[in-house]
Amino acid sequence: MMIPMVGQYEQQANALAASKLGVPVVKAIDTSFVKRLNAWIKSDDRVWVSFADETAEIVDGMVKKYAR
């Protein structure tokens, strides 16, 4: 579950990306929030994400490009 900060563009962009992965996004903490939070905690729904580890490739490319 994500609760992006209002007025923060990067937070909104991250929430949109996470929502596309299936992460629930809360727009505001209102009277229904506690009920939604408890339901989410009790839920067996999980979002599993596996990103390829490209760190070595990125570092190698940067070193080749910028090393003197």
Side-chain angles (χ1 to χ4, degrees):
M1 177 176 282
M2 291 185 70
I3 308 171
M5 295 173 62
V6 175
Q8 298 294 317
Y9 177 79
E10 184 178 2
Q11 292 272 313
Q12 301 301 317
N14 290 341
L16 177 61
S19 72
K20 290 182 178 185
L21 295 172
V23 175
V25 176
V26 175
K27 302 275 184 197
I29 297 176
D30 56 18
T31 56
S32 68
F33 175 71
V34 173
K35 185 176 180 179
R36 290 180 65 193
L37 179 63
N38 284 327
W40 176 73
I41 290 170
K42 293 175 185 175
S43 171
D44 288 332
D45 293 341
R46 299 290 181 265
V47 176
W48 299 101
V49 181
S50 178
F51 294 110
D53 183 359
E54 300 173 337
T55 306
E57 183 180 335
I58 292 168
V59 170
D60 186 52
M62 296 294 285
V63 169
K64 287 178 181 175
K65 185 173 182 176
Y66 296 106
R68 295 181 185 200

